[in-house]
Amino acid sequence: MVRHRHDLAVIGLGYVGMPLAQAAVNAGLAVVGLDANASVVASLTAGRSHVDDLSDEDVATMLAAGFVPTTDPAALAEAAVTVICVPTPLGDEGGPDLTAVRSAASTIARHLRPGSLVVLESTTYPGTTDEIVRPLLEASGLVAGTDFHLAFSPERVDPGNAAYGIGNTPKVVGGLTPACTQAACDFYARFVDTVVPTKGTREAETAKLLENTYRHINIALVNEMARFCHELGIDLWDAIAAARTKPFGFQAFYPGPGVGGHCIPIDPNYLSHNVRTRLGYPFRFVELAQEINASMPAYVVRRAQDALNEDGKALRGARVLLLGVTYKPDIADQRESPAVHVGRRLIDLGALVEFHDPLIEKWDALGLPARSVADLDAAVEHADLTILLQHHRGYDVDGLARISRRFLDTRGAATPAPGVERL
């Protein structure tokens, strides 16, 4: 029987890998974390967190319990289970860039031992675990499903969600074989309340894409409705509030300046790309949703122009203040934030753009001049137009709207009043 120093090795210590490692450590597992970024490992070793959902204190607690961050792949040979949590950004051709997944699988292969379990959690298209990861692992000379277990289990991390974390969010698991599924289920059951097995890896991979495609399409629906409701003089926010009183058959989604983050703007495209590549026809719902959601920043800028016109001002030369530039409220994560596209378009059209975000000191995403303001109230009073892009908990939206010259609310947070418009 092979003895293991670590119960779990997590490859990729980002927004997915660190919460997973924390949950495992808290359950009493011996965990090692591998990351190629030496500065990330050094920061964690010093007890500093770089992800929103873990504080420095959380990291210090993990270290005290035996968590070991490292850049040394040799640690993988001492782990009973290895989980891949590396990024899968959108590639040039519309599918996922699997560079980090391939690298992780090849690294594991060099240290793989009989009886081990390898799980891919990185989001990707159906077939990746079997067609990409398995052959790379089998370069070790071991056979998946015979000598070692292989499974896919989609990450369901929701940054900033205080109600649902790793432990109480059901964990979907699909193995290469029934035995692989059982091994993965047994592992996750050590620190997850509910484990949901699927028929295989492809079903588990598709489940993740279905979840995010569902959200992508429904957000596109209300984004398109926001446009024609504005033209027809209908308060869509009030209509949604009325519709959500139905106790069955309806789930509320809300319009906004675009979609952001690590899932909605990216993951559905993996499925669309996979359908086009393998079957030769489009996944029309996804492609239409992408078109609608991607056009929202331009629509916000058009509404900004209209708002300024009401005051007899041109957008060129106008002072525009953006409130909240992260992709989600109350977290510092800026990945794929629609604020970037809004800001760039405003600057391209000649606006003098400033921004405020209580969680961001420096905003480099624009690549163009956008000054951070220190005195929020003074900045709002001075701006020709204030645009709420993200409703952080710390914003007194109605108070800010009252002192503004003109206020455009893309999140439905402000009480309707003269000079205040909602998307």
Side-chain angles (χ1 to χ4, degrees):
M1 180 178 178
V2 177
R3 291 189 176 274
H4 300 281
R5 178 184 172 193
H6 304 292
D7 297 304
L8 169 64
V10 178
I11 301 182
L13 301 178
Y15 74 95
V16 175
M18 282 303 296
L20 174 66
Q22 181 192 34
V25 168
N26 289 346
L29 277 65
V31 182
V32 60
L34 178 66
D35 200 286
N37 190 326
S39 63
V40 165
V41 170
S43 179
L44 290 171
T45 302
R48 295 190 300 272
S49 176
H50 61 290
V51 296
D52 286 291
D53 285 347
L54 272 75
S55 65
D56 291 350
E57 183 180 354
D58 290 330
V59 174
T61 300
M62 291 172 65
L63 293 171
F67 174 61
V68 180
T70 184
T71 58
D72 184 4
L76 299 178
E78 302 176 315
V81 180
T82 300
V83 180
I84 302 172
C85 301
V86 297
T88 49
L90 199 62
D92 294 337
E93 297 180 359
D97 180 350
L98 298 178
T99 301
V101 169
R102 292 176 188 272
S103 176
S106 296
T107 300
I108 295 169
R110 292 193 290 272
H111 304 278
L112 193 60
R113 291 186 179 186
S116 299
L117 166 64
V118 179
V119 183
L120 175 64
E121 285 205 6
S122 305
T123 305
T124 184
Y125 59 83
T128 301
T129 306
D130 185 27
E131 299 167 10
I132 304 295
V133 175
R134 180 178 60 81
L136 291 170
L137 294 175
E138 290 183 342
S140 64
L142 301 179
V143 178
T146 301
D147 300 315
F148 68 94
H149 297 297
L150 175 62
F152 179 82
S153 181
E155 59 89 1
R156 283 176 159 176
V157 173
D158 186 18
N161 191 327
Y164 290 99
I166 299 291
N168 64 349
T169 301
K171 198 81 172 86
V172 171
V173 174
L176 188 68
T177 66
C180 291
T181 300
Q182 189 60 56
C185 286
D186 290 345
F187 163 68
Y188 283 112
R190 298 177 71 178
F191 54 91
V192 178
D193 295 340
T194 304
V195 180
V196 183
T198 63
K199 284 186 174 181
T201 57
R202 284 174 171 81
E203 286 76 16
E205 289 162 338
T206 303
K208 169 66 174 181
L209 298 182
L210 176 59
E211 293 169 15
N212 288 335
T213 298
Y214 169 80
R215 293 170 61 198
H216 190 45
I217 289 171
N218 280 282
I219 291 169
L221 169 66
V222 292
N223 275 338
E224 187 157 40
M225 289 189 72
R227 300 185 186 204
F228 69 70
C229 282
H230 174 68
E231 296 296 327
L232 295 173
I234 298 169
D235 187 335
L236 176 60
W237 302 93
D238 189 58
I240 294 172
R244 69 179 297 183
T245 62
K246 185 179 181 181
F248 54 89
F250 181 81
Q251 180 179 355
F253 287 83
Y254 299 93
V259 291
H262 55 93
C263 290
I264 305 304
I266 297 175
D267 295 355
N269 291 296
Y270 298 165
L271 193 53
S272 177
H273 179 267
N274 195 234
V275 170
R276 274 193 176 274
T277 301
R278 296 192 175 216
L279 303 178
Y281 54 80
F283 189 173
R284 289 181 293 171
F285 264 121
V286 168
E287 295 184 7
L288 179 59
Q290 180 64 23
E291 178 185 332
I292 292 169
N293 289 334
S295 69
M296 288 306 292
Y299 176 68
V300 169
V301 173
R302 190 157 65 248
R303 289 286 301 275
Q305 288 179 303
D306 293 343
L308 287 167
N309 284 341
E310 291 292 320
D311 294 332
K313 295 182 181 292
L315 181 59
R316 182 172 294 278
R319 291 187 176 276
V320 180
L321 175 65
L322 306 180
L323 300 183
V325 297
T326 62
Y327 90 86
K328 191 175 182 182
D330 304 317
I331 65 169
D333 200 330
Q334 301 176 52
R335 285 173 297 170
E336 307 296 328
S337 173
V340 174
H341 302 289
V342 173
R344 283 178 179 163
R345 193 169 185 87
L346 286 169
I347 290 172
D348 288 344
L349 292 174
L352 305 176
V353 176
E354 297 177 323
F355 79 94
H356 177 275
D357 193 303
L359 304 177
I360 301 294
E361 294 182 3
K362 195 173 182 181
W363 192 32
D364 297 325
L366 287 182
L368 296 166
R371 186 177 69 88
S372 173
V373 300
D375 188 332
L376 177 56
D377 287 355
V380 170
E381 291 176 345
H382 188 60
D384 296 307
L385 173 66
T386 299
I387 306 177
L388 179 70
L389 294 178
Q390 194 53 264
H391 184 199
H392 291 307
R393 191 185 301 116
Y395 284 146
D396 174 8
V397 176
D398 283 339
L400 294 172
R402 277 194 299 271
I403 63 175
S404 68
R405 299 180 185 180
R406 178 73 62 169
F407 196 89
L408 176 58
D409 173 16
T410 71
R411 297 295 179 176
T415 303
V420 177
E421 291 192 36
R422 295 196 291 184
L423 201 61

